[in-house]
Amino acid sequence: MGAMHKARVLAFQIIYSWDFERRAVPENLFDSVRNLSNEEFDIASETYVKLTVCGTIENIDKIDSMIREHLRNWKFDRIAKVDLAILRLSVYGLLFQKDTDGKIIINEAVKIAQEYGNDDSYKFINGLLDSIYKKNDKT
């Protein structure tokens, strides 16, 4: 598993944890999740995690609105918490991290969904992110 994938997994775990309490992300949350993951992170990966998590939370209304807009035959409040955390992280990437190819962001989301989601999570996430990517790639 590459350094960036590990960083994305850590960011996903923090966003997942944040969703239960909806408070500002305390600095020690990064430490506690990192300790649980038993992974060593270089400065670039740690910076990526902090920027991505904080950016996702700061833009949560816009991100959730984008997810709602692209849902088909599904209600937002029925999305599994794991899937929602993956989607939020990835939608943030698609909207705000223009230096990363959207296809890479989607591919990473699918990998995380296969690791942490249920059997069909990756299909749901892939379809929704692809829809968002195609719409925003044209704008």
Side-chain angles (χ1 to χ4, degrees):
M1 186 170 15
M4 278 310 294
H5 181 72
K6 290 176 189 175
R8 283 188 179 96
V9 168
L10 179 58
F12 146 71
Q13 291 170 329
I14 293 169
I15 291 166
Y16 175 80
S17 298
W18 167 84
D19 195 30
F20 289 96
E21 294 190 27
R22 291 290 185 121
R23 291 184 297 180
V25 177
E27 186 67 31
N28 65 352
L29 181 58
F30 291 99
D31 295 332
S32 62
V33 175
R34 187 173 41 234
N35 289 340
L36 287 173
S37 70
N38 293 321
E39 297 289 350
E40 290 295 320
F41 290 93
D42 59 23
I43 296 298
S45 295
E46 195 164 316
T47 300
Y48 167 83
V49 171
K50 288 179 181 180
L51 289 173
T52 303
V53 169
C54 292
T56 299
I57 292 168
E58 286 170 12
N59 293 284
I60 200 71
D61 292 336
K62 182 173 185 170
I63 290 166
D64 285 356
S65 175
M66 183 69 63
I67 293 169
R68 280 184 177 92
E69 182 183 322
H70 289 268
L71 282 173
R72 300 289 173 259
N73 304 317
W74 203 259
K75 293 191 185 308
F76 185 85
D77 58 358
R78 287 193 57 216
I79 300 173
K81 292 285 191 188
V82 167
D83 295 350
L84 185 56
I86 297 167
L87 285 168
R88 285 172 164 163
L89 171 71
S90 304
V91 171
Y92 173 78
L94 292 173
L95 296 179
F96 298 101
Q97 296 175 319
K98 298 294 185 182
D99 57 329
T100 303
D101 186 329
K103 292 175 185 170
I104 292 171
I105 292 169
I106 294 169
N107 187 42
E108 283 293 322
V110 167
K111 284 183 189 175
I112 294 171
Q114 288 171 328
E115 291 174 56
Y116 294 93
N118 67 40
D119 291 343
D120 290 328
S121 289
Y122 76 95
K123 295 175 191 172
F124 172 70
I125 287 169
N126 184 53
L128 191 65
L129 292 176
D130 189 55
S131 172
I132 292 169
Y133 172 68
K134 284 177 180 170
K135 180 180 180 197
N136 287 293
D137 196 40
K138 295 173 185 163
T139 57

